[in-house]
C-alpha cells in the first residue's frame, strides 16, 4: 500500500477516536438537593441580653435555570429552600434555648461562567438577590434581607441534553443594625445588634436538563 492511502487511513482512524463536540443548547434547568451548614446572627433580647441566634444544619433543595448568552457564560435564576431550627445561645452565661422552626428561602439572579473541557465543565457562579426567613409557630411575619451567593463546581455531560452537576455555594445575608427579627412565644423579642452577616455554606448535587 502506498504512503498516501496509509496516511489518510491513519487520519480517519484518529478522527474517529476523537469524541464529537457537544452541541450546546441554550436553556438548562437544574433541580438539586444537598446539605447546608447553619450560621448565626448576633442579637439581643429586650435590649439587655446579648447572644446569638444559631441555625441548625440540615438538608435543602432547589432549582435553577440558566440561559446561555455566550460560550461558557449563562444568565441564571435560582431558588432554594431549607427547613431548620433556631436556638438562642446567650453570651457569657446561661444555657442554649431551643426556640422554633424556621424556613429559609433564597432567591437569586446571577451569572455562571464555565471552562469547557470536552464534556466536563468546571464553573464559577455569582448571584444577587434576597433571603426570606420565615419563623414557624410564632406571632411574627417573615423577614426579607438582601443577600449574595458565590459558588463553584463541575458539570459533566453524559449527552447533549443531560448532565450531572456538583457544587459548593456560600450564601451571605446582610442584616440591618438594630432591626427586630422576631419574637418568641414567651414574648421575648430578638433584635440584631450591629448588623452583621448570616453566612451559610451548602454542598449539593443534581442533574442538568438542556433544551
Amino acid at each position: 500500500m502506498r504512503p498516501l492511502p496509509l496516511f489518510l487511513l491513519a487520519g480517519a482512524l484518529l478522527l474517529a477516536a476523537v469524541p464529537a463536540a457537544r452541541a450546546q443548547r441554550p436553556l438548562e434547568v437544574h433541580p438539586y438537593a444537598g446539605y447546608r451548614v447553619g450560621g448565626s446572627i448576633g442579637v439581643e433580647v429586650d435590649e439587655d441580653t446579648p447572644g446569638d441566634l444559631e441555625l441548625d444544619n440540615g438538608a435543602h433543595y432547589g432549582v435553577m435555570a440558566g440561559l446561555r448568552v455566550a460560550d461558557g457564560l449563562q444568565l441564571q435564576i435560582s431558588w432554594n429552600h431549607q427547613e431548620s431550627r433556631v436556638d438562642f445561645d446567650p453570651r457569657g452565661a446561661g444555657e442554649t434555648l431551643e426556640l422554633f422552626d424556621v424556613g429559609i428561602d433564597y432567591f437569586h439572579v446571577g451569572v455562571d461562567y464555565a471552562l469547557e473541557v470536552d464534556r466536563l465543565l468546571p464553573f464559577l457562579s455569582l448571584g444577587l438577590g434576597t433571603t426570606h426567613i420565615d419563623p414557624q409557630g410564632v406571632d411574627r411575619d417573615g423577614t426579607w434581607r438582601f443577600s449574595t451567593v458565590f459558588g463553584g463546581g463541575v458539570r459533566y455531560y453524559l449527552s447533549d441534553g443531560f448532565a450531572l452537576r456538583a457544587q459548593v455555594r456560600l450564601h451571605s445575608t446582610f442584616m440591618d443594625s438594630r432591626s427586630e427579627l422576631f419574637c418568641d412565644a414567651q414574648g421575648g423579642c430578638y433584635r440584631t445588634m450591629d448588623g452583621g452577616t448570616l453566612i451559610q455554606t451548602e454542598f449539593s448535587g443534581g442533574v442538568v436538563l438542556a433544551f
Side-chain angles (χ1 to χ4, degrees), residues 127-198:
L128 305 174
T130 186
T131 304
H132 185 230
I133 304 173
D134 185 21
Q136 309 294 319
V138 297
D139 186 19
R140 184 72 177 180
D141 294 333
T143 183
W144 295 86
R145 292 293 185 270
F146 173 73
S147 62
T148 64
V149 61
F150 175 76
V154 293
R155 298 194 295 271
Y156 183 77
Y157 287 83
L158 301 176
S159 68
D160 292 343
F162 183 81
L164 302 177
R165 175 172 174 142
Q167 63 186 9
V168 178
R169 302 206 299 171
L170 182 72
H171 294 274
S172 301
T173 302
F174 301 93
M175 299 294 173
D176 300 331
S177 180
R178 308 293 296 178
S179 174
E180 185 175 289
L181 293 176
F182 28 66
C183 300
D184 60 25
Q186 288 73 41
C189 292
Y190 298 83
R191 300 176 178 84
T192 56
M193 297 174 63
D194 300 306
T197 306
L198 170 65

Side-chain angles (χ1 to χ4, degrees), residues 22 24-26 66-75 112-116 121 155:
R22 182 179 63 86
Q24 296 186 5
R25 299 183 179 182
L67 179 65
R68 184 168 64 87
V69 295
D71 287 344
L73 183 65
Q74 288 185 352
L75 296 180
D112 178 304
Y113 180 74
L115 178 63
E116 186 165 0
L121 275 72
R155 298 194 295 271

Side-chain angles (χ1 to χ4, degrees), residues 19-108:
R22 182 179 63 86
Q24 296 186 5
R25 299 183 179 182
L27 178 64
E28 294 186 342
V29 177
H30 168 42
Y32 62 94
Y35 191 79
R36 181 175 294 151
V37 179
S40 63
I41 310 169
V43 296
E44 59 184 5
V45 185
D46 301 326
E47 300 184 356
D48 60 4
T49 306
D52 296 286
L53 290 180
E54 298 181 345
L55 298 173
D56 290 349
N57 304 339
H60 72 96
Y61 57 87
V63 65
M64 63 177 61
L67 179 65
R68 184 168 64 87
V69 295
D71 287 344
L73 183 65
Q74 288 185 352
L75 296 180
Q76 287 190 338
I77 59 173
S78 67
W79 161 81
N80 66 57
H81 176 79
Q82 178 192 10
E83 291 290 335
S84 184
R85 184 164 184 83
V86 176
D87 299 330
F88 176 68
D89 185 14
R91 296 177 183 175
E95 296 183 354
T96 298
L97 303 176
E98 294 186 357
L99 296 181
F100 41 75
D101 294 331
V102 64
I104 303 172
D105 292 272
Y106 290 103
F107 304 87
H108 290 117

